[in-house]
Amino acid sequence: HTKSREALEWIADVPYIKVIFSERNPLDITISRYKLIAYEVPSHCFGDPCKEQHASRNKELMMPFDFLWESMTNLTDEIAAVKQILDTLLVDRVEVSYERLYYSESADEWMKIFRHLGIGPMQNLTKEAVLSKIEHMETHPASRRDALANYEAVEAALNDTGFRKYLMSITDMAGGV
């Protein structure tokens, strides 16, 4: 992607631009993307009817293995490529975890962003204060077993691959909430 690389090169030359690299588990991205395709549900919810629509589809989603493998491969390759470009260009950034932002009981990951930006609450921020400012609602259950009807088969398929590390529970990825 020439335009993407050119944009990153430009960012590297502009010191006042602050980069936040938020990384989410590729397995969870894959599940979310497939749910959007299979059920045509909204990608973000701002009310209970939407959240209920998502919840009603949990546990019935059957993840096709070809979609799973292609998505996981593409996502991990893309993440590695972007990080390599950022490193090569010496782009100053803060790297945060989606799981720690949204599933941790603490607001430490949010304060990490604020410290990098040099604005906002950099200490003593609570998760309750963060959640009070977020308008959209979660649409992905904390347990993948609750998201996929064929989770055990997905787990078995990924267990002996380089993707095994993405089977770690969301709670453990968030720092053991």
Side-chain angles (χ1 to χ4, degrees):
H1 303 282
T2 304
K3 292 290 182 194
S4 297
R5 182 170 178 91
E6 288 173 359
L8 292 174
E9 289 169 352
W10 180 77
I11 287 170
D13 290 336
V14 182
Y16 58 84
I17 292 179
K18 303 286 187 169
V19 176
I20 301 166
F21 187 93
S22 176
E23 188 172 350
R24 185 178 183 194
N25 181 329
L27 177 56
D28 295 323
I29 295 171
T30 298
I31 293 168
S32 291
R33 285 182 177 173
Y34 191 72
K35 184 166 54 168
L36 296 176
I37 292 167
Y39 297 121
E40 298 180 357
V41 292
S43 58
H44 295 94
C45 289
F46 297 94
D48 287 332
C50 176
K51 187 174 179 176
E52 290 166 11
Q53 182 183 7
H54 275 268
S56 72
R57 298 300 190 172
N58 291 337
K59 285 198 171 185
E60 65 183 47
L61 186 67
M62 296 289 288
M63 177 64 66
F65 292 103
D66 56 341
F67 183 90
L68 171 72
W69 194 260
E70 182 178 347
S71 177
M72 295 283 292
T73 300
N74 290 340
L75 287 165
T76 54
D77 288 351
E78 290 167 6
I79 291 166
V82 170
K83 281 186 174 183
Q84 181 179 3
I85 291 168
L86 292 171
D87 288 343
T88 300
L89 296 174
L90 303 174
V91 173
D92 182 39
R93 66 188 181 272
V94 64
E95 294 187 9
V96 295
S97 156
Y98 178 94
E99 289 76 20
R100 285 191 296 273
L101 286 169
Y102 292 100
Y103 292 96
S104 173
E105 289 182 0
S106 80
D108 291 347
E109 205 78 346
W110 291 97
M111 289 186 289
K112 190 174 166 182
I113 292 171
F114 290 129
R115 284 190 293 274
H116 179 70
L117 296 175
I119 60 167
M122 296 178 212
Q123 59 187 10
N124 300 323
L125 179 64
T126 65
K127 187 62 178 274
E128 293 75 26
V130 170
L131 294 176
S132 74
K133 301 297 182 189
I134 296 175
E135 293 182 11
H136 66 275
M137 305 173 114
E138 72 179 50
T139 59
H140 191 3
S143 169
R144 291 183 204 97
R145 291 183 194 284
D146 293 336
L148 294 174
N150 63 337
Y151 178 76
E152 285 76 18
V154 166
E155 182 179 43
L158 297 180
N159 212 19
D160 292 325
T161 72
F163 296 136
R164 183 183 198 292
K165 64 185 175 185
Y166 301 118
L167 293 169
M168 181 187 299
S169 76
I170 292 171
T171 301
D172 288 342
M173 293 183 86
V177 293

